[in-house]
Amino acid sequence: MKMLRVSAAVVVLVCWTGSGGGISLVDASTLLEVGACPNVSSVPNLDLAKLEGQWYQILQIPTDDNSIARCTRSTYTYADGYLEVVTEGRDAVGGAVARTGVLARLPDSPTGALQLDMDGMPPLSVWVLDTDYSGVACLYSCTEFPGLRAEWAWAVTRSPRPRVKLVHRCRAKLRRHHVDTAELERVPHSAQCLKGN
């Protein structure tokens, strides 16, 4: 059955402003789908320290709020039981973009969920569905609203030009968790990305 995709505006109350007592609203759009999030779990005995290092985003479910369009690279630094995250890349017109944040275990999560807190984004629960630590990691996030869900998925590899079987491994793992992999888009990594231009 094909899922119905709905573009929705999520309205966030920012502050009460001015002497006139007006309300300032910010409108941020996201893509919502009808249905609930699938039941997923992170790999057993996930070792955050082994995720340390550089990862290249190869596949993603695109969203309007992602300002990094290509050359996406994240550096994870392990510190006191969590990962400091620096994600860098290029926007649609080639400008440099960087975001920083933290990836940490959610206390008492029976599914091994992590929480990703990146600047400019609301916190996300993230599951590492598969990883060998040295080549590939398959990440998934899903947030439910009444009758709707918003989901994100990423295939990240240690190389910007990974072996095809690593990318297929993530697609297969996501499909087993009922994620529509037709939505995944390749993240471009040109020769200019590799030069850091």
Side-chain angles (χ1 to χ4, degrees):
M1 174 171 34
K2 187 172 179 165
M3 294 305 257
L4 172 65
R5 291 187 67 85
V6 180
S7 183
V10 179
V11 180
V12 180
L13 176 64
V14 175
C15 61
W16 186 264
T17 61
S19 59
I23 297 175
S24 173
L25 298 177
V26 173
D27 184 325
S29 96
T30 189
L31 230 42
L32 299 175
E33 293 180 323
V34 174
C37 292
N39 293 322
V40 298
S41 293
S42 286
V43 295
N45 305 311
L46 179 66
D47 188 340
L48 288 181
K50 288 184 179 178
L51 290 174
E52 186 172 43
Q54 201 159 81
W55 292 92
Y56 296 87
Q57 196 175 101
I58 302 302
L59 296 174
Q60 69 176 353
I61 294 177
T63 61
D64 292 337
D65 59 350
N66 187 2
S67 58
I68 303 176
R70 58 190 170 94
C71 307
T72 311
R73 171 183 76 233
S74 293
T75 303
Y76 295 167
T77 304
Y78 185 75
D80 296 324
Y82 64 90
L83 292 164
E84 295 174 352
V85 181
V86 177
T87 299
E88 303 169 291
R90 301 283 173 182
D91 62 19
V93 294
V97 179
R99 285 186 168 169
T100 59
V102 172
L103 184 62
R105 293 184 193 281
L106 275 173
D108 303 321
S109 171
T111 61
L114 306 175
Q115 182 165 308
L116 178 64
D117 286 307
M118 295 291 283
D119 59 349
M121 294 176 58
L124 295 176
S125 293
V126 175
W127 292 267
V128 180
L129 301 182
D130 190 22
T131 187
D132 61 5
Y133 300 104
S134 62
V136 66
C138 310
L139 309 174
Y140 178 74
S141 180
C142 190
T143 301
E144 288 186 354
F145 304 94
L148 301 170
R149 73 173 183 265
E151 63 182 0
W152 299 263
W154 307 270
V156 296
T157 61
R158 294 290 190 177
S159 166
R161 304 249 168 88
R163 295 188 318 265
V164 173
K165 73 177 188 176
L166 293 178
V167 178
H168 288 315
R169 177 176 166 170
C170 270
R171 283 184 183 276
K173 184 57 103 170
L174 289 164
R175 272 195 299 272
R176 281 195 293 276
H177 286 88
H178 308 288
V179 177
D180 184 2
T181 58
E183 294 181 34
L184 290 170
E185 290 185 2
R186 197 152 186 90
V187 178
H189 286 275
S190 67
Q192 285 183 328
C193 297
L194 302 179
K195 293 177 189 173
N197 293 332

